[in-house]
């Protein structure tokens, strides 16, 4: 079975050499040398001012909300992985949804104001599938209403927008380095910010608020990255150019063959994609189910990222329904994309999908009108 992704693991000999080093030093966690080295290299590679490595992308979000002092409610996107809103709820910040833009599939800045509450303290948006949000428009709304802006950048590793890392936007951006992500540390994540004081608060919070052996400066949790994870990250970072190049080649192939037949996410102007995912939107829920069944018949396992639309989750009710997100969540499939995925398999995926797209009643005209 060909899955939507296959974890990249780098050179095993290189990883073993790092593990030998860990055995020699017995330094397993708590800001060990590999964690520090990875932090430095990521700061350079991504072009960001502060980056604090953490144990996963979910805690990155939770710690970011705490460090920014969020309370009350936050306006957020219904089209993301569940952690974007479940972390808010977990921190007792009520998620209030605003719908997405039908082209970019990101939080629509024009719809944020209608979702503001008396207690709204933040906007939490996802660069979904690595496509940058409308960051300037979101900034304007945030400034007008004195809101904090947090970007869930779990998909946006290495994504550049307007000549710089998109992770530099907002008060905080977070990353996930989960094994299924483009760049990973098995489990891991990071908090990125231009604000040095905020970075220091985040650092303290990820280590129980312990400033030194005898000083506890505030409430914290345990969100530290261990040395084995950091070693995996160092191995993968060595190969990142190759990873991105291979993903782009596959993405270009899909785009060339499917772009005229299926609705694709519209790239945000002045941005460089990382092809962390390759989502396609079928014409209807029924067509999506048919496409998934046909692919599975051909030993291909696409994934419904992201379903369900988060505004339908029981524990987040009541919410106003978000029709654009709900509609899209019914139609999207993510196709396999990862280094080493062969051209023959890519062709098989295209050949399986095309007959489903070209049925006469699924002509592009109504699709375009729906946009
Ligand atoms: C993967 C992901 C997360 C959670 O990251 P973990 O490292 O798995 O905790 C959060 N948000 C988005 C959008 C994700 O895709």
């Amino acid at each position: 079975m060909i899955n939507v992704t296959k974890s990249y693991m780098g050179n095993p000999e290189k990883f073993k050499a790092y593990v030998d080093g860990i055995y020699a030093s017995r330094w397993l966690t708590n800001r060990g040398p590999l964690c520090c080295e990875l932090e430095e290299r990521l700061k350079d590679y991504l072009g960001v001012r502060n980056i604090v490595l953490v144990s996963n992308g979910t805690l990155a979000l939770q710690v970011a909300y705490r460090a920014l002092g969020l309370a009350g409610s936050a306006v957020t996107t219904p089209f993301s992985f569940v952690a974007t809103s479940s972390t808010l709820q977990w921190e007792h910040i009520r998620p209030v949804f605003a719908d997405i833009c039908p082209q970019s599939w990101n939080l629509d800045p024009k719809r944020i104001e209608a979702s503001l509450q008396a207690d709204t303290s933040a906007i939490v948006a996802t660069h979904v599938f690595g496509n940058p949000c409308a960051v300037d428009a979101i900034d304007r709304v945030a400034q007008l209403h004195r809101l904090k802006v947090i970007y869930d950048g779990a998909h946006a590793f290495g994504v550049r927008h307007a000549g710089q890392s998109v992770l530099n936007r907002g008060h905080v951006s977070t990353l996930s380095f989960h094994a299924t992500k483009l760049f990973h540390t098995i489990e891991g994540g990071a908090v990125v910010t231009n604000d040095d004081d905020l970075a220091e608060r985040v650092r303290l919070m990820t280590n129980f608020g312990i400033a030194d052996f005898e000083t506890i400066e505030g409430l914290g949790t345990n969100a530290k990255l261990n040395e084995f994870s950091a070693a995996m990250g160092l191995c993968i970072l060595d190969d990142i150019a190759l990873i991105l190049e291979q993903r782009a080649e596959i993405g270009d192939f899909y785009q060339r063959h499917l772009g005229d037949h299926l609705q694709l996410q519209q790239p945000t102007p002045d941005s460089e994609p990382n092809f962390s995912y390759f989502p396609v939107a079928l014409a209807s829920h029924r067509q999506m189910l048919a496409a998934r069944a046909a692919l599975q018949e051909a030993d291909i396992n696409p994934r419904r990222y992201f379903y369900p639309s988060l505004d339908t989750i029981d524990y987040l009710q009541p919410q106003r329904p978000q029709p654009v997100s709900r509609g899209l969540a019914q139609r999207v499939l993510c196709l396999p994309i990862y280094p080493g995925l062969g051209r023959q398999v890519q062709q098989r995926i295209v050949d399986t999908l095309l007959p489903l797209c070209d049925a006469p009643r699924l002509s592009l005209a109504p699709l375009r009108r729906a946009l």
Side-chain angles (χ1 to χ4, degrees), residues 56-58 80-81 83-84 126 152 154-155 176 178 181 188:
N56 60 63
T58 303
S80 184
F81 183 59
T84 313
T126 302
D152 183 339
H155 307 162
S176 164
H178 182 256
K181 304 299 205 262

Side-chain angles (χ1 to χ4, degrees), residues 202-222:
V202 166
R203 215 179 266 298
L204 271 170
M205 278 185 177
T206 57
N207 187 32
F208 310 99
I210 295 176
D212 62 48
F213 288 117
E214 293 175 2
T215 321
I216 295 169
E217 286 211 345
L219 180 63
T221 185
N222 178 4

Side-chain angles (χ1 to χ4, degrees), residues 145-309:
H145 300 278
R146 297 168 183 269
L147 305 172
K148 302 286 194 223
V149 179
I150 297 94
Y151 287 112
D152 183 339
H155 307 162
F157 188 90
V159 169
R160 296 177 65 79
H161 174 59
Q164 63 164 323
S165 170
V166 75
L167 302 172
N168 284 323
R169 302 304 299 259
H171 294 91
V172 170
S173 295
T174 62
L175 289 164
S176 164
F177 301 153
H178 182 256
T180 54
K181 304 299 205 262
L182 180 155
F183 168 84
H184 77 91
T185 60
I186 310 170
E187 292 271 5
V191 178
V192 173
T193 179
N194 292 316
D195 179 338
D196 297 351
D197 294 336
L198 186 68
E200 200 43 47
R201 285 205 297 286
V202 166
R203 215 179 266 298
L204 271 170
M205 278 185 177
T206 57
N207 187 32
F208 310 99
I210 295 176
D212 62 48
F213 288 117
E214 293 175 2
T215 321
I216 295 169
E217 286 211 345
L219 180 63
T221 185
N222 178 4
K224 302 186 301 297
L225 189 76
N226 73 73
E227 290 289 279
F228 291 86
S229 280
M232 179 60 79
L234 287 166
C235 292
I236 295 174
L237 195 54
D238 283 345
D239 300 344
I240 196 71
L242 189 79
I243 293 171
L244 289 169
E245 190 184 300
Q246 290 202 23
R247 283 178 171 275
E249 274 174 23
I250 300 167
D252 287 342
F253 181 84
Y254 286 148
Q255 229 153 26
R256 259 199 329 277
H257 290 86
L258 298 171
D260 290 337
H261 305 275
L262 281 169
Q263 185 194 345
L264 304 181
Q265 184 182 29
Q266 193 174 300
T268 298
D270 202 9
S271 63
E272 295 165 33
N274 62 1
F275 293 100
S276 48
Y277 298 86
F278 199 91
V280 298
L282 280 294
S284 67
H285 182 57
R286 254 195 37 208
Q287 283 302 306
M288 184 279 297
L289 292 177
R292 184 175 63 168
L295 287 168
Q296 281 171 345
E297 194 64 30
D299 283 331
I300 310 290
N301 195 18
R303 286 291 301 269
R304 293 184 70 182
Y305 295 143
F306 288 98
Y307 178 83
S309 182

